[in-house]
């Protein structure tokens, strides 16, 4: 065998090994799984959240000004709101239990808990969808906040 033939065989073998390792790592399925979770989250958001927080995650007008009832309008979940300022655990708790239950001390809110409507996996999917709409800067900050708040 010539030297060039041996190099070609070695290169093909190396490429095959890399392909096998890459496929075995789940790299091809991960992106598809992430997109499926985001798509599920978007459907759940439309069904359960958009009526208050907006179809485009824009929230209600003047969301930082209390209503006559003393309660606040629904905030946006896009980058103009404060959702990305909170760790995942708190966001899950608010969605599952409702804002009043999380804040406590007699706090009143129109945000109900969805724990009887959505499973924890479905709540995580809604958060995955919301986060997928944020610019990279907000996603990075929120990820760091989540990591810093972990026990």
């Amino acid at each position: 065998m010539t030297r060039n033939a041996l190099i070609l065989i070695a290169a093909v073998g190396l490429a095959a090994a890399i392909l096998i390792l890459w496929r075995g790592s789940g790299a091809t399925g991960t992106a598809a799984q992430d997109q499926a979770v985001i798509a599920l989250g978007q459907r759940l958001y439309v069904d359960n959240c958009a009526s208050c927080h907006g179809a485009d995650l824009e929230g209600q007008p003047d969301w930082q000004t209390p209503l006559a009832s003393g309660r606040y309008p629904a905030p946006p979940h896009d980058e103009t709101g404060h959702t990305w300022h909170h760790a995942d655990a708190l966001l899950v708790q608010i969605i599952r239990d409702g804002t009043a239950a999380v804040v406590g001390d007699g706090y009143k809110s129109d945000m109900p808990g969805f724990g009887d409507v959505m499973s924890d996996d479905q709540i995580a999917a809604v958060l995955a969808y919301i986060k997928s709409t944020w610019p990279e800067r907000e996603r990075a900050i929120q990820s760091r906040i989540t990591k810093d708040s972990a026990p």
Side-chain angles (χ1 to χ4, degrees), residues 2 13 39 41 49 78 80 86 90 94-95 104 106 121 125 133-135 140 145:
T2 68
C49 313
D78 62 14
T80 67
H86 302 294
L90 178 61
I94 290 170
I95 296 169
D121 286 343
T133 69
W134 297 338
I145 291 167

Side-chain angles (χ1 to χ4, degrees), residues 100-131:
V102 173
V103 174
D105 202 28
Y107 184 82
K108 302 289 184 202
S109 173
D110 291 328
M111 170 67 186
F114 287 88
D116 293 337
V117 178
M118 289 190 276
S119 69
D120 286 347
D121 286 343
Q122 289 173 319
I123 291 169
V126 170
L127 284 177
Y129 163 65
I130 291 169
K131 290 194 267 185

Side-chain angles (χ1 to χ4, degrees), residues 2 7 11 18 30-31 40 44 56 67 73 86 97 106 124-125 131 137 150:
T2 68
I7 291 172
I18 290 171
T30 302
L40 171 63
L44 291 165
D56 295 321
L67 302 168
H86 302 294
D97 302 330
K131 290 194 267 185
R137 176 183 171 271

Side-chain angles (χ1 to χ4, degrees), residues 4-100:
N4 287 343
L6 288 173
I7 291 172
L8 179 61
I9 291 170
V12 169
L14 179 60
I18 290 171
L19 181 62
I20 289 168
L21 290 171
W22 182 70
R23 285 191 175 179
S25 72
T28 57
T30 302
Q33 288 170 348
D34 290 348
Q35 288 304 313
V37 169
I38 290 168
L40 171 63
Q42 184 176 18
R43 286 192 302 276
L44 291 165
Y45 177 89
V46 167
D47 292 347
N48 297 287
C49 313
S51 61
C52 294
H53 292 280
D56 295 321
L57 296 95
E58 73 276 12
Q60 294 175 337
D62 300 319
W63 63 275
Q64 293 176 311
T65 304
L67 302 168
S69 66
R71 297 175 183 193
Y72 284 85
H77 289 311
D78 62 14
E79 73 277 5
T80 67
H82 61 84
T83 306
W84 58 273
H85 297 183
H86 302 294
D88 285 352
L90 178 61
L91 296 173
V92 166
Q93 189 179 10
I94 290 170
I95 296 169
R96 186 185 58 232
D97 302 330
T99 304

